[in-house]
Amino acid sequence: LGTGGVFTPKDLLLSNASIVARRVKLSVTDVKAIVQLVCQEVAPKPRPASDAKQAASERFTTGDDRLDGILGGGITPSLIWELCGESAAGKSQLAFQLALTVQLPKKLGGLGGSCCFITTTATLPTHRILQLIEEHPLLSSTTVSLADIHTLKTTTFASFLYAISHLLPPLI
């Protein structure tokens, strides 16, 4: 588009359609149509989990022995995991816990790594994560930190597709 501050697919996909429409003087319907066309061009085709590059034996703890047992030893990295459940079932709590346990040294069940937290909310609730660091028996401020939790905000499916296909791979 090149006008109104929209120059790249990232600018288009990570912005609200009504804001882009005002900036480039198009209707919201036209902007949404353009977003769909861009998504069709830039989105990768889905791959089966069996194509994952990580060895099946590489896993990290969830921080819960029973859940690790159900999952065959923990979480396999480099896959996209979707947490589903009813409101207040603990989805966010588990996601925050995983963002920390992946950072643990291997001797404690982690990978000594970092994570990318993709959120649809305005900000990552860091106070909850800091509380986990203080209260979970596996975690401490000497082994995990907020600095190793990268955050991407996606408010639309289009911005999510763009994030996982273009912004996430360089972090990995």
Side-chain angles (χ1 to χ4, degrees), residues 54-59 72 76:
Q54 294 290 335
S57 62
E58 185 177 41
R59 297 180 185 274
T76 304

Side-chain angles (χ1 to χ4, degrees), residues 10 14 152 159 162-172:
K10 178 180 175 182
L14 296 179
L152 294 175
S159 64
Y162 185 79
I164 63 171
S165 62
H166 290 82
L167 302 178
L168 195 56
L171 288 173
I172 293 171

Side-chain angles (χ1 to χ4, degrees), residues 61 100-106 108-113 138-140 143-144:
T61 183
L100 294 169
T101 57
V102 72
Q103 298 177 42
L104 290 169
K106 289 186 178 194
L108 294 177
L111 295 176
L138 271 179
L139 305 173
S140 76
T143 56
V144 299

Side-chain angles (χ1 to χ4, degrees), residues 4-132:
V6 179
F7 299 100
T8 68
K10 178 180 175 182
D11 297 329
L12 178 66
L13 296 175
L14 296 179
S15 299
N16 182 289
S18 60
I19 293 171
V20 173
R22 276 193 307 257
R23 286 182 183 163
V24 298
K25 298 181 181 15
L26 290 173
S27 72
V28 173
T29 303
D30 288 343
V31 170
K32 287 181 178 180
I34 292 168
V35 166
Q36 288 303 320
L37 290 172
V38 171
C39 283
Q40 289 171 3
E41 289 299 315
V42 301
K45 302 299 178 228
R47 297 179 303 135
S50 60
D51 288 353
K53 293 179 183 175
Q54 294 290 335
S57 62
E58 185 177 41
R59 297 180 185 274
F60 68 95
T61 183
T62 63
D64 180 285
D65 292 337
R66 290 188 328 174
L67 185 53
D68 285 349
I70 292 168
L71 296 173
I75 298 289
T76 304
S78 295
L79 298 176
I80 296 173
W81 290 78
E82 180 179 11
L83 302 176
C84 302
E86 292 186 24
S87 180
K91 301 177 298 294
S92 295
Q93 187 73 7
L94 177 59
F96 300 150
Q97 190 164 307
L98 295 176
L100 294 169
T101 57
V102 72
Q103 298 177 42
L104 290 169
K106 289 186 178 194
K107 67 182 180 183
L108 294 177
L111 295 176
S114 63
C115 78
C116 182
F117 198 95
I118 301 174
T119 181
T120 58
T121 60
T123 58
L124 191 64
T126 55
H127 66 283
R128 289 179 63 190
I129 298 170
L130 291 171
Q131 185 179 20
L132 259 173

